[in-house]
Amino acid sequence: MIERTVTVVPEDGLHARPATKFVETVNEYDSEITVGTPDDGDDLVNAGSILAVTGLGIKTGESITIRAEGEDEQEAMSALESVLTTPETDEE
Amino acid sequence: MALNEDNPPLTTDLIALDGAPQNKEGVMEFLLDLAVDAGRVTDFDQALQDLQEREKQATTGVGMGIGIPHAKSAAVVQPTIAFTRVPEGIDFDAVDDEPATLIFLLLVPESGGEDHLEMLSSLSRSLVHEATREALLEAESPERVQEIVLEAVS
C-alpha cells in the first residue's frame, strides 16, 4: 500500500474536467484507490466515483491524500499525481 | 456556504416530482423552465448556452444515477437548484453508464465566486449515500424533497 499527499494544481480544483480525468485514470488501474483531504485520516472515499471525489470539495492549491493498494499501485500513483499537478492548458 | 434562510436556493416551485422529458437535453430545458418561471433566471437562452458550454468540458452525469448539470451565468439572479426525477432512468452520458434517475440543475450568478462549487460538493457528498438517493426517489411531496436537499447543502 502506498500513500501520497498531493497539492491540486488545476485552476478549478477537483471539479468538472479535472475530476473526470482523475476518476477515469483511477478506473484504468486494478489497484484499490481511495482519496480524502489530509484531515480525513483513515476516512477515505472511493476514488473511482465522480460523486465521491466532487464531494470532497478540493480547490486549487489544496491538498489531497491518495492511497493505492494493488499490483499496479506505483503506476497508478504516478499517473494520478500527473493528473493533479498538470495545469489545464486548453481552457475555452 | 452561508445560505439565506429566507431565500433558499431550492423552493417547492423549483421541484417537479414527475413530468420531465425522457432525454438529457429535454430535462435540462425542463428544469431551466422551472427556474425561469420562479424568477431565478432572466434569459433562458443565455443560461442554456452556459449550461451546454459546461457540459462540453466534461459530462455532469456523475454516476450512481445522478445528473448535476450546472453553470455560473449572467442570466441567473440568485443561487438556484431545480430538481426532477425520471424513475425509468435516462441516458445522461454517465461515467458509469448507469441511467440517471435524479436530476439537479445548479445555477449561480456570474458574481457568485466559488459558491457553485461549494453547493456542488455539498450536494455530491450527500448523494454518495444510498439513503439520500432513495429518500429522494421515494419522496411524495416537493416539501419533502426541499427538506432533504436543503439539509444537504446548508
Side-chain angles (χ1 to χ4, degrees):
Chain A
M1 194 273 283
I2 50 174
E3 183 178 305
R4 300 268 167 79
T5 296
V6 180
T7 301
V8 174
V9 171
E11 199 184 334
D12 285 339
L14 214 42
H15 288 284
R17 191 162 38 189
T20 306
K21 201 168 168 203
F22 182 82
V23 170
E24 281 170 358
T25 307
V26 166
N27 291 325
E28 283 169 19
Y29 294 89
D30 294 328
S31 290
E32 194 71 26
I33 301 170
T34 50
V35 289
T37 64
D39 299 336
D40 287 337
D42 279 333
D43 192 16
L44 303 180
V45 300
N46 175 10
S49 157
I50 294 218
L51 211 50
V53 169
T54 304
L56 295 174
I58 296 177
K59 302 191 180 86
T60 179
E62 293 184 348
S63 298
I64 181 172
T65 299
I66 311 170
R67 191 176 290 175
E69 180 156 24
E71 290 279 319
D72 55 6
E73 58 188 35
Q74 296 290 350
E75 295 87 343
M77 187 63 84
S78 312
L80 293 172
E81 280 184 297
S82 139
V83 170
L84 295 178
T85 53
T86 308
E88 288 209 273
T89 48
D90 54 345
E91 277 297 330
E92 283 161 40
Chain B
M1 78 188 244
L3 290 172
N4 183 340
E5 281 187 20
D6 298 328
N7 206 357
L10 178 70
T11 48
T12 50
D13 52 350
L14 290 161
I15 298 166
L17 295 184
D18 44 43
Q22 307 272 325
N23 62 77
K24 183 176 182 178
E25 277 294 303
V27 167
M28 283 168 64
E29 292 180 16
F30 174 81
L31 288 172
L32 191 50
D33 267 330
L34 292 182
V36 170
D37 290 346
R40 306 283 187 122
V41 169
T42 53
D43 184 338
F44 179 95
D45 292 333
Q46 176 65 52
L48 186 62
Q49 193 187 327
D50 292 330
L51 284 164
Q52 287 167 341
E53 281 299 315
R54 165 58 188 84
E55 207 62 38
K56 270 191 228 160
Q57 288 184 25
T59 181
T60 59
V62 292
M64 300 188 187
I66 313 282
I68 316 186
H70 58 271
K72 199 192 256 195
S73 173
V76 175
V77 178
Q78 64 181 91
T80 296
I81 302 172
F83 169 83
T84 194
R85 57 190 184 187
V86 188
E88 303 78 14
I90 55 170
D91 180 1
F92 219 82
D93 305 314
V95 286
D96 58 3
D97 297 322
E98 290 290 319
T101 53
L102 299 172
I103 320 292
F104 298 84
L105 182 76
L106 262 62
L107 293 166
V108 293
E110 198 66 57
S111 59
E114 306 235 303
D115 284 0
H116 67 305
L117 296 183
E118 289 186 23
M119 207 155 71
L120 182 64
S121 59
S122 328
L123 190 60
S124 301
R125 199 154 48 232
S126 126
L127 290 171
V128 165
H129 303 290
E130 192 178 1
T132 309
R133 302 197 299 273
E134 278 184 1
L136 286 166
L137 281 171
E138 286 164 8
E140 285 174 2
S141 67
E143 286 75 17
R144 176 71 186 126
V145 170
Q146 183 189 29
E147 186 182 50
I148 297 166
V149 175
L150 290 184
E151 193 178 318
V153 298
S154 48

